[in-house]
Amino acid sequence: MHRSAPRLARILACATVPVVLVAGCSSGSDKKDDKNAGGSARPGSPSASPTVAAAKFSKLPDVCSTLSGKTVDDLVPKAQNKKGKALPSADTNTSASCLWSGLDKFDYRSLTVSLKLFRSDPGLGSGDKRAGEYAAQQASRAATAGKVTDPKTEKVAGIGDEATTVSTKEKKDGDDFRDQTVVVRTANVVITLQYDGAGYETAKAPDAADLLKDAKSAAKEAVGAIGKGAKTGA
């Protein structure tokens, strides 16, 4: 069969090119077929699974060891148990609380440290994000819990990654209580420190500003204990 010179030259040229370029050497009819084939539906590639940043901490430290004996003595004189009372928890690796309380003559003090750890989850977000949301909820609860009055909420710097203090008043059985709560997020762990005081009988109610100052100092200490004692890793 007779072939035109241009077509013959084209076929010979294509015989020497690398395989990856052979598609470019097809005839006009081949190009038409390729065009038709390109119009057919192709299965889409599977979408990538969502990823989140790994959580810094994977396990909580002993909650009753987050405050030193000196701090307990200063904040809770005559504490019933200086080592603290661990409150019930289904899993102390992710949620734990410790209570100290004491009565020095007619001056009552109660101190609670609660820890909550959040792991990163592709469906729920990073541990830090989840912890931040929980911290906001804790601050809101502290300002509205029970029959508290005169709530004062304030963002504070210098304690963990973010911190909020909540000061309230409450009357229990005729006695005036001053309640101070410090909610702190450090990475993917939330610390909720509650410090309450009251004066029974002839004793005066404690100064709220002094209680808050002590509560913030104790919260800073707890943040340091998390950094040293919590197990790191996602």
Side-chain angles (χ1 to χ4, degrees):
M1 180 182 295
H2 177 71
R3 292 188 176 92
S4 65
R7 177 172 172 76
L8 180 60
R10 186 168 178 275
I11 292 174
L12 292 175
C14 286
T16 62
V17 298
V19 174
V20 293
L21 298 179
V22 170
C25 297
S26 59
S27 65
S29 61
D30 291 336
K31 289 182 180 179
K32 183 177 180 181
D33 292 339
D34 288 345
K35 183 177 180 180
N36 292 336
S40 61
R42 295 182 180 179
S45 58
S47 59
S49 300
T51 59
V52 293
K56 181 176 181 179
F57 300 115
S58 61
K59 182 180 178 181
L60 294 174
D62 175 21
V63 64
C64 290
S65 297
T66 54
L67 299 181
S68 67
K70 182 180 184 304
T71 296
V72 173
D73 285 340
D74 290 344
L75 272 62
V76 190
K78 306 293 184 181
Q80 294 178 353
N81 185 350
K82 290 186 178 182
K83 292 184 178 180
K85 177 183 178 181
L87 303 181
S89 171
D91 182 4
T92 56
N93 291 327
T94 59
S95 181
S97 298
C98 191
L99 167 68
W100 295 265
S101 62
L103 183 64
D104 184 10
K105 295 181 180 179
F106 297 116
D107 292 318
Y108 173 78
R109 298 291 184 274
S110 173
L111 175 64
T112 305
V113 174
S114 297
L115 308 178
K116 182 77 172 177
L117 180 146
F118 291 87
R119 296 191 171 97
S120 293
D121 185 296
L124 300 175
S126 69
D128 286 18
K129 175 180 177 292
R130 298 177 65 200
E133 293 170 348
Y134 178 76
Q137 294 171 4
Q138 286 293 86
S140 178
R141 290 191 186 105
T144 58
K147 297 181 179 180
V148 299
T149 61
D150 196 22
K152 293 181 175 64
T153 301
E154 181 181 5
K155 295 283 187 180
V156 294
I159 308 177
D161 293 311
E162 55 181 317
T164 303
T165 62
V166 182
S167 301
T168 60
K169 298 177 182 179
E170 188 174 6
K171 188 175 286 291
K172 299 178 183 178
D173 298 327
D175 295 304
D176 293 321
F177 279 73
R178 301 291 183 264
D179 306 330
Q180 310 299 323
T181 302
V182 184
V183 182
V184 184
R185 180 185 70 82
T186 175
N188 59 310
V189 173
V190 175
I191 303 167
T192 304
L193 186 145
Q194 185 173 351
Y195 186 37
D196 307 332
Y200 293 144
E201 301 293 339
T202 57
K204 294 181 179 180
D207 183 78
D210 289 341
L211 291 180
L212 181 57
K213 180 180 178 181
D214 289 340
K216 290 194 289 187
S217 178
K220 284 184 180 180
E221 185 176 332
V223 170
I226 296 296
K228 293 178 181 178
K231 184 178 179 181
T232 57

